[in-house]
Amino acid sequence: MTDQRSSSDQSRRRYLKSITAGGLAVGLAGCQGNGGGGGNGTTAGSGGGTSTGGGDELVGEEDPIGNWPPEGDSVTISFNGPESGGLGPDGQDQREGFDLIIDHLNNGGGLVDNTDLLSGNGVLGYEVESTAYDTATNAQTARENAQQIINQDNAQFWTGGMSSTVTIAMEEIAAANNVPFMAGNSTSSSISGENCSRYYFHPTFHAEIIGMMMGEAAPAELGEDRSLFHIYMDYSYGQSNSAAATKYLVDNGPWELAGEAPIAEDENDHSSQISALQESGADVLYFSSFGGFAASGLQQMVDAGLTEEIDVIIPHVSAFTLNPMGSAAEGVYGGEPWNPGAGNEASEIFVQAFEDEYDATPNQSHLHTYESVLVYAMAVEQAGTFHPPTVIRELENFEWSQAWGDSQFRECDHQVERPYYFVRGVGDDRAEELGIRTEVVRTTEPLVYGCNEAPATNCELGPYGDE
């Protein structure tokens, strides 16, 4: 474990925790019933109480901002992800990871026990309550949910999300209301570029970084004398992934470009794209689709017999993308931000804790919300406050090493730098052995481009709110 902090900070935190724990015990002694939450979401946890301040060392010293300072002896952290719609399976997995970290923050267990920044007794002595909402992969629904999370639930932070369009919509709400937010596995490069926000931290890869990973891993695995064809969803996710693959595999790599065919929004019949691919003579397909949409498209390619002749790469592959294909998923390549076979000690701890709770093997989406909330809570403890501008400044230089591996956010654009995984789909027997439909082929070093390169050069983060 390599959480970064000075010895003087450690002493300060231990002292504050000791007086906080004592104060909280007195406050909870007179509490009854459930606290916080409401609206259309579901609420978990108990809290309440009447005292104000808890262990937040800046209460009384700074002007109120966002939902700070917290009231009573509990704080709310929320989930706003796609539990229904085309990305529903990934959103449901995100929700399970979210529920597990809330339990661990209050009661200990899992990766909470793997850092000395957290006690398993809430955060800064505040019990953590939770609310959860379904975006249905709709940007307007996500905006309305986020506004409810802020205005009615008084949340200090929220996570969840998959679609890049939805994430960008929530970034705007976070900045306008001074409430920090970390999304799910959204991969448009603009999230850390022209759509970046002071109140948003991107905790995973996006198209530019996936392109870097593919430029490093794909030719090493598939050979250098290859011909590439793009089929991509014709909006931000597909366009940015297709462009990044061309940059790193063709313009700066050894492969040739054979052609491309966009998929219009809501176009489910890929027969015209498949015909263009067959006519191109390409031997590698870069299929920039995702989730259930990718599963449907891949099945059409299997039915056309293409996957027997052409290597298929999905820039961001997920378990639920490949699961519907069964054994036909064997040999499909892709990038994952995390895999249960990551091979580090923290991943093993998380996998065991998840299996103990759900009797199933976790995937990248389970960990994504889990570790996003974990990192936020660690930063709050290190900062000694939920005060949003102070926590943001803490996160802007925060380094940690948990299941995601050696990780850090950077100040220029709030993009995380961490390792990623080039994976391959497996057949039924191997999937049963692994508990998941993908296996790790190559692991990268922590990857990110320079702050003086695009898309970082397109990022203007905006104000902290306390200047």
Side-chain angles (χ1 to χ4, degrees), residues 382-418:
Q382 186 155 293
T385 179
F386 290 95
H387 184 250
T390 303
V391 175
I392 287 171
R393 291 185 177 96
E394 189 71 52
L395 284 168
E396 286 177 340
N397 293 289
F398 199 68
E399 298 180 18
W400 73 100
S401 186
Q402 291 283 353
W404 284 341
D406 294 341
S407 309
Q408 68 177 93
F409 287 118
R410 56 185 191 173
E411 187 173 3
C412 69
D413 61 357
H414 291 188
Q415 172 62 45
V416 75
E417 178 179 4
R418 66 180 178 91

Side-chain angles (χ1 to χ4, degrees), residues 30 44 79 89 136 149 206 216 223 256 270 307 314 328 354 382 448:
F79 171 82
I149 284 168
H206 56 57
E216 177 182 307
E256 294 183 349
H270 295 353
T307 54
I314 298 175
F354 188 91
Q382 186 155 293
V448 77

Side-chain angles (χ1 to χ4, degrees), residues 186-211:
S186 308
T187 61
S188 168
S189 296
S190 71
I191 288 173
S192 296
E194 63 266 33
N195 292 305
C196 72
S197 165
R198 181 72 66 188
Y199 274 76
Y200 175 71
F201 287 82
H202 195 53
T204 186
F205 54 28
H206 56 57
E208 187 72 15
I209 299 171
I210 294 172

Side-chain angles (χ1 to χ4, degrees), residues 25-39:
V26 172
L28 288 177
C31 296
Q32 292 183 344
N34 297 325

Side-chain angles (χ1 to χ4, degrees), residues 104 107-116 118-120 349 370 374 402:
H104 286 171
N107 303 303
L111 296 181
V112 168
D113 293 348
N114 198 43
T115 171
D116 55 3
L118 297 170
S119 65
I349 292 171
Y370 185 100
L374 179 83
Q402 291 283 353

